[in-house]
Amino acid sequence: MTYVNLVAILFFGCSNEYKRQVVNLGLNKEKAYLIFRGTNTKEGFFAREFNIKDTLSSHVGFTLFDSSRWNVFHVLENKNSTTDYNVEILDGFLNKEKNKVFYYSLWEIESLKLEEIDSLRKIIKRYKSKKITFDKNFSHKDSTKLDCSEFICEALNKINSDKFNFEFHKRELKGIYKTYFKKDTLEYYPVDMFQSNANFKFFFEWNNQ
């Protein structure tokens, strides 16, 4: 049993307890990660329907060591703020009671150099000065409207447009989805699209389903 797995068992082993503290997973402070989260919410179910393969993850954000702690930077509708750009401590992002989290996984952005990670940290912090709106319709026409995976794509593309040149996934719409989006085909960035990209390496996952 690895150290990472042992820590995870100690932290999540009791089914009736979920300690609100940062999980020591042996993350490298000089690395950058993507964190995927699965939640038992209506929004979570909707997002998973548009994944390519992953049936658990419904949301994604950056995880970086910043200001002496692990923070998660992500875009998600936030009714308590004027912007949908969010910065949360890691344990808050994974709060089981508040966010109904049943699954998460971490993926290292393996191809980033140290100077690129520093640039990424600066780039994603600039979104704090913008009024970002969560793009429920995947319009891609307004730079202030982003969904969670589009935020990841946009930020990484600013680091290296050749290495991180992501293409839209196209899906034919039928039934309620065709009615909701009012179009026949949807072009979007699936939450799980990064998991099949060579620039990202699986690090750890936890599943309480």
Side-chain angles (χ1 to χ4, degrees):
M1 181 181 294
T2 65
Y3 170 73
V4 168
N5 289 336
L6 176 59
V7 171
I9 289 173
L10 291 174
F11 187 85
F12 295 113
C14 299
S15 59
N16 296 322
E17 294 183 4
Y18 191 97
K19 296 181 181 179
R20 298 179 183 181
Q21 62 186 43
V22 175
V23 187
N24 182 7
L25 293 172
L27 299 176
N28 189 330
K29 295 178 182 179
E30 296 183 345
K31 300 287 186 179
Y33 302 84
L34 291 187
I35 185 163
F36 296 84
R37 182 177 75 183
T39 57
N40 284 316
T41 62
K42 180 175 68 175
E43 294 79 8
F45 173 80
F46 179 84
R48 289 193 295 274
E49 283 288 298
F50 285 84
N51 282 351
I52 301 172
K53 293 182 179 180
D54 186 345
T55 60
L56 300 172
S57 302
S58 57
H59 187 57
V60 62
F62 288 110
T63 302
L64 291 161
F65 192 77
D66 180 65
S67 301
S68 302
R69 65 189 188 188
W70 285 99
N71 283 330
V72 178
F73 304 83
H74 62 113
V75 172
L76 184 66
E77 187 174 16
N78 186 352
K79 296 179 181 179
N80 297 319
S81 176
T82 58
T83 179
D84 291 332
Y85 170 73
N86 300 272
V87 181
E88 294 183 75
I89 58 175
L90 180 58
D91 60 327
F93 182 80
L94 298 176
N95 187 302
K96 183 178 180 181
E97 288 79 15
K98 178 183 177 181
N99 298 315
K100 299 182 180 180
V101 178
F102 70 87
Y103 171 84
Y104 80 86
S105 67
L106 284 154
W107 295 67
E108 180 188 331
I109 310 177
E110 193 174 31
S111 59
L112 284 180
K113 301 176 182 178
L114 282 176
E115 58 268 26
E116 290 178 319
I117 293 175
D118 288 337
S119 295
L120 176 63
R121 187 178 284 106
K122 293 175 183 177
I123 286 172
I124 60 180
K125 283 185 176 182
R126 291 174 191 158
Y127 285 86
K128 188 176 183 179
S129 62
K130 303 178 182 179
K131 185 178 180 181
I132 301 298
T133 302
F134 184 72
D135 189 0
K136 296 179 180 179
N137 296 312
F138 306 104
S139 60
H140 312 300
K141 295 180 180 180
D142 188 339
S143 60
T144 64
K145 292 184 178 181
L146 299 169
D147 58 75
C148 64
S149 49
E150 186 178 12
F151 165 61
I152 301 295
C153 292
E154 185 175 282
L156 288 175
N157 186 260
K158 290 179 180 179
I159 298 295
N160 190 318
S161 59
D162 293 323
K163 187 189 301 182
F164 300 108
N165 184 20
F166 302 100
E167 296 183 358
F168 286 124
H169 180 75
K170 294 183 179 181
R171 171 173 169 171
E172 182 182 357
L173 298 177
K174 297 180 181 180
I176 59 173
Y177 296 121
K178 183 176 180 179
T179 302
Y180 175 83
F181 289 108
K182 298 179 181 179
K183 59 179 72 175
D184 297 321
T185 304
L186 188 67
E187 293 187 348
Y188 66 104
Y189 295 119
V191 168
D192 66 336
M193 63 178 287
F194 310 102
Q195 298 175 6
S196 57
N197 186 295
N199 291 299
F200 305 90
K201 180 182 179 181
F202 174 78
F203 183 78
F204 178 79
E205 70 176 354
W206 171 78
N207 186 355
N208 192 40
Q209 199 176 49

